[in-house]
Amino acid sequence: MPKFAANLSMMFTEVPFLERFGAAARAGFRAVEFLFPYDYPPGQLRELLEQHGLELVLFNLPPGDWAAGDRGLACDPARVNECRDGVGAALEYAKALGVGQVHMMAGVRPRGVNDDAMRDTYLANVQFAARELAAHGLRLMLEAINTRDVPGFYLNTSRQALDLIHYAGEPNVFFQYDVYHMQIMEGDLAATIRKHLATIGHIQVANPPLRHEPADTGEINFPFLFRWLDDIGYAGWIGCEYRPKRTTEEGLGWMREYL
């Protein structure tokens, strides 16, 4: 039976962020994820998780200046120190919140930097973050993101992500496989997941083309995909990183059979 985690950055946006923990629990979720925790004290977030009986399964390292268009820093040779400082900030929250894995966004390709320099910088930052996290028993996730939603993003396909994980050579680095992004970029979801299941540490779902619920509103046959994940032995959480078509609760009918 698949296990679903509500992404509180995209779901339950009808209420303020701190109220979304309770809303997710009342809707039947037993786990949550979100983009960033850094606007709130870790103790406040931990109290909400405990109050509502929720497990936190994922959040992202600091992305740089999100409002200015930053989507991570890891591929930028000019921002290595800032990227590595973010590892320390993420560790502080991860230890306080009991999460076992965090995601480091690759970032948008900086202008005027050649591909070799970006790759070298990215690999070095991945290795640094992985070693820091490993000292505390944590895993590092790397995610490929489609070029339609984030033009210029450095990491775009499963092949590229898996290649970089291989060359990073750190045993606690895993692929965060978002079926929404991968359907847009390459398709062949079921076969890719089965082939690379040992390297996939987390799965996220939304339905193209509009990133709505994993229901009959888009391109992907999610009942088949969820059965497939069970059949091949995926035992991790599935992050619901989608934008509800209407209100979050109105769109949760797809999940009832799995509760």
Side-chain angles (χ1 to χ4, degrees):
M1 183 70 72
K3 305 184 302 181
F4 296 104
N7 187 296
L8 300 185
S9 299
M10 289 195 173
M11 300 175 69
F12 302 102
T13 57
E14 301 84 5
V15 297
F17 180 75
L18 296 179
E19 295 178 25
R20 297 175 197 171
F21 294 80
R26 289 189 295 274
F29 288 97
R30 293 295 172 260
V32 295
E33 62 180 37
F34 42 72
L35 291 180
F36 311 110
Y38 309 106
D39 288 339
Y40 306 95
Q44 184 179 24
L45 298 178
R46 184 177 184 88
E47 182 178 340
L48 286 168
L49 292 167
E50 293 175 349
Q51 177 185 345
H52 297 291
L54 293 168
E55 178 180 346
L56 178 62
V57 301
L58 182 78
F59 65 81
N60 295 342
L61 272 69
D65 188 341
W66 189 267
D70 286 343
R71 293 297 182 268
L73 307 169
C75 74
D76 191 340
R79 304 179 75 176
V80 170
N81 290 339
E82 188 179 353
C83 179
R84 296 186 180 188
D85 287 346
V87 175
L91 262 174
E92 177 185 350
Y93 275 83
K95 290 187 289 184
L97 299 177
V99 70
Q101 55 196 18
V102 295
H103 167 224
M104 183 166 73
M105 300 183 76
V108 175
R109 293 170 177 267
R111 293 181 180 179
V113 179
N114 66 48
D115 285 346
D116 286 344
M118 279 187 279
R119 179 183 170 87
D120 290 346
T121 301
Y122 183 72
L123 282 173
N125 281 328
V126 167
Q127 290 168 332
F128 173 86
R131 291 165 187 168
E132 293 292 305
L133 294 172
H136 300 275
L138 301 176
R139 305 195 301 178
L140 179 67
M141 298 292 129
L142 307 181
E143 180 185 20
I145 293 178
N146 79 77
T147 54
R148 187 174 75 199
D149 285 14
V150 186
F153 195 76
Y154 177 71
L155 193 56
N156 307 129
T157 67
S158 58
R159 180 174 181 175
Q160 183 191 9
L162 293 162
D163 177 76
L164 288 162
I165 289 170
H166 171 75
Y167 283 102
E170 299 296 332
N172 63 325
V173 180
F174 291 85
F175 188 18
Q176 181 172 313
Y177 190 91
D178 189 314
V179 303
Y180 166 77
H181 294 302
M182 294 300 90
Q183 171 68 6
I184 291 170
M185 294 303 298
E186 61 193 31
D188 202 24
L189 305 176
T192 301
I193 294 170
R194 179 174 63 179
K195 182 177 180 180
H196 301 291
L197 185 63
T199 311
I200 293 174
H202 187 57
I203 289 176
Q204 293 175 317
V205 295
N207 217 341
L210 299 177
R211 206 169 189 173
H212 288 329
E213 289 86 349
D216 58 351
T217 57
E219 299 174 9
I220 299 173
N221 181 346
F222 275 102
F224 164 80
L225 188 62
F226 293 147
R227 289 194 302 271
W228 178 261
L229 292 176
D230 275 348
D231 289 345
I232 65 175
Y234 177 74
W237 290 98
I238 299 172
C240 300
E241 194 181 44
Y242 66 81
R243 299 186 184 97
K245 190 174 183 179
R246 297 185 181 87
T247 69
T248 301
E249 291 191 4
E250 283 181 285
L252 286 176
W254 66 270
M255 196 179 73
R256 290 195 184 101
E257 66 179 284
Y258 302 108
L259 293 179

